[in-house]
Amino acid sequence: MKSYTLIAPAKINLHLEIIGIRPDNYHELVMIMQTVDLADRVEVKSLSTDEIILHCGHPNVPLDETNLAYRAAQLMQQEFPDALIESGGVDITLHKHIPVAAGLAGGSGNAAAVLVGIDLLWELGLTQIDLQKLGARLGSDVPFCISGGTAIATGRGEAISPLPSLEGIYVVLGKYQSLEVSTPWAYTTYRHEFEHQYAQDLDSLADRSHRIHSGDLVRAIVATDTVKIGKLLYNDLEKVVLPAYPLVSQLRAEFQRHANLGTMMSGSGPTVFSLASSRAQAEVLYHQVRAAIPDPDLELFVAQFCDRGVRVI
Ligand code: ATP
C-alpha cells in the first residue's frame, strides 16, 4: 500500500485587519500571513476499501466529519470518484504538535496536507492552484497553508499574493493549553461591536485591501527590516479577545515586557507571539516568560519563519 508523510506547518498573522462584510456574509479581510516551523505530521495511506479512516491521539481533535482533514478527504472522493474506485480510500494519521484552537490554523494545515497527500496517492497531478481552489472550499486559511511562506491574504483570506521570504526570523509563541478561543465567536463579537466602522460599499472594500500592498509593513518585509516589522504588527481581533480573556492579555503584557521586537496575538488567539532576531534572543525571551509565569498550563515554543507550506518528507 502506498503512503506519504507530510509536514503541515502552523501560521501566524503579522497583520489581520477586518474591512467589512461581504455580500456572502463572510468578513472581508486583509492579512499578512507567515508560516512558522511549528508543525503537525500527517500520514496518508491507501486503503483497499473506499473508506476514510482518521486517527489522532489529541483529546480535543474530533475523528469524524467535523475534522477538517476528514472533510478534505471527502472532498477529494467527491471530486475524483474514478480515482477513488481505482486507488481505494485513505487512512489518515494526525500527529498534533500545533496547539488546537490556537489561532495557528492547525486544522487548516492538516486539511491542506490531506489534499496534497491524496493528490500524490492517487497520482492526480494537480497543480498548486488546483489544490488551493479545492482548499478554499474547505476553509479560508487552507489555500495559504498549501503554499505557505509570507503572503498577503485578502477576500475571506483565500486570495493569496506571495511576498519575499522572511525565512530565518525567530518567534516565541505562548498558549495556555486549557484555553481555547472559538474563531466564529471572535468574528461574531467583533461584528457586534465594530460593524458601524465597516466599509459600506464594495469599492471601498477593494480600495482598502489594495492599500496594504503599498503599505509600510509590506515595505518593511521587502527590506527584511525585522525591527520595523515588529513595530507594525497588527490584529483587529485583539480588541475583542483581550478584554474577554484576561489571561491572554496578561500573557501578552509579559511577552511585551521582555521582547525587543514586536508582540501580537495570532489570528483569533489565544496564542501570543514575539519576534526575535536570533535563536539566542528567542531562548532568552522563552526563559524570561517561563520564569515570570511558571504555570505548567502555559506552553511556550521557539520557532522560525519558513518559506513554504505543506511539504512531503
Ligand atoms: P484558525 O487559525 O484557522 O482559526 P485555529 O488554530 O484557531 O484555526 P484549529 O486548531 O484549526 O484552530 O481548531 C479549531 C477547532 O476545529 C477545534 O475546536 C477542533 O476541535 C476542530 N478541528 C477540526 N479539525 C481539526 C484538526 N485537524 N486539527 C485540530 N483541530 C481540528
Side-chain angles (χ1 to χ4, degrees):
M1 282 291 158
K2 273 207 283 186
S3 70
Y4 288 95
T5 301
L6 300 110
I7 298 299
K11 63 86 189 156
I12 56 172
N13 300 88
L14 303 179
H15 181 93
L16 190 163
E17 189 182 350
I18 299 173
I19 306 291
I21 282 285
R22 298 151 49 96
D24 61 10
N25 221 29
Y26 280 94
H27 277 101
E28 177 79 16
L29 304 173
V30 174
M31 299 188 286
I32 297 185
M33 319 273 266
Q34 174 62 55
T35 306
V36 297
D37 66 1
L38 171 65
D40 292 340
R41 196 156 52 82
V42 178
E43 287 166 14
V44 292
K45 269 190 276 184
S46 298
L47 285 175
S48 50
T49 62
D50 64 1
E51 291 165 285
I52 300 169
I53 301 176
L54 182 62
H55 314 270
C56 181
H58 193 296
N60 297 351
V61 174
L63 295 176
D64 58 14
E65 297 176 8
T66 60
N67 193 304
L68 219 48
Y70 190 101
R71 296 217 333 258
Q74 273 183 325
L75 178 64
M76 293 299 268
Q77 287 196 334
Q78 276 162 28
E79 289 297 305
F80 303 100
D82 296 345
L84 172 65
I85 293 165
E86 209 173 297
S87 310
V90 57
D91 180 286
I92 304 164
T93 305
L94 306 177
H95 300 273
K96 297 294 294 182
H97 302 286
I98 304 172
V100 174
L104 298 173
S108 303
N110 293 172
V114 168
L115 295 178
V116 172
I118 294 181
D119 173 50
L120 293 169
L121 280 181
W122 293 356
E123 297 178 16
L124 297 169
L126 299 176
T127 63
Q128 189 173 81
I129 290 172
D130 295 333
L131 290 164
Q132 286 179 314
K133 279 189 189 149
L134 287 166
R137 290 163 59 183
L138 296 165
S140 309
D141 285 346
V142 180
F144 172 75
C145 291
I146 291 171
S147 48
T150 311
I152 298 175
T154 53
R156 290 186 284 127
E158 83 295 358
I160 308 298
S161 73
L163 288 169
S165 167
L166 291 175
E167 197 174 17
I169 293 178
Y170 281 86
V171 60
V172 183
L173 302 132
K175 181 192 177 274
Y176 286 99
Q177 234 162 29
S178 58
L179 191 65
E180 296 191 347
V181 172
S182 147
T183 304
W185 170 85
Y187 279 98
T188 309
T189 309
Y190 189 90
R191 183 174 182 176
H192 198 69
E193 289 184 31
F194 295 100
E195 194 167 13
H196 61 282
Q197 297 176 3
Y198 284 4
Q200 292 307 321
D201 58 80
L202 281 177
D203 277 353
S204 52
L205 291 183
D207 178 49
R208 285 169 69 173
S209 65
H210 283 136
R211 228 183 286 162
I212 190 84
H213 288 264
S214 52
D216 290 344
L217 181 53
V218 167
R219 272 203 294 274
I221 290 169
V222 171
T224 330
D225 184 339
T226 317
V227 173
K228 226 178 195 163
I229 294 169
K231 284 193 182 131
L232 293 168
L233 298 173
Y234 183 80
N235 185 347
D236 267 334
L237 290 173
E238 284 200 336
K239 294 178 204 160
V240 291
V241 177
L242 297 183
Y245 292 89
L247 266 183
V248 183
S249 191
Q250 285 155 22
L251 178 61
R252 190 192 189 291
E254 204 53 56
F255 264 93
Q256 206 161 22
R257 200 176 342 272
H258 302 290
N260 297 328
L261 302 174
T263 298
M264 192 53 52
M265 185 182 81
S266 181
S268 53
T271 302
V272 165
F273 67 88
S274 284
L275 305 187
S277 52
S278 65
R279 175 165 284 279
Q281 196 187 72
E283 278 169 5
V284 168
L285 176 60
Y286 175 102
H287 290 295
Q288 284 169 326
V289 175
R290 173 55 73 212
I293 310 179
D295 184 347
D297 194 43
L298 175 64
E299 287 184 295
L300 292 170
F301 307 90
V302 171
Q304 217 177 348
F305 285 13
C306 50
D307 66 356
R308 54 195 289 208
V310 168
R311 66 191 160 87
V312 185
I313 51 168

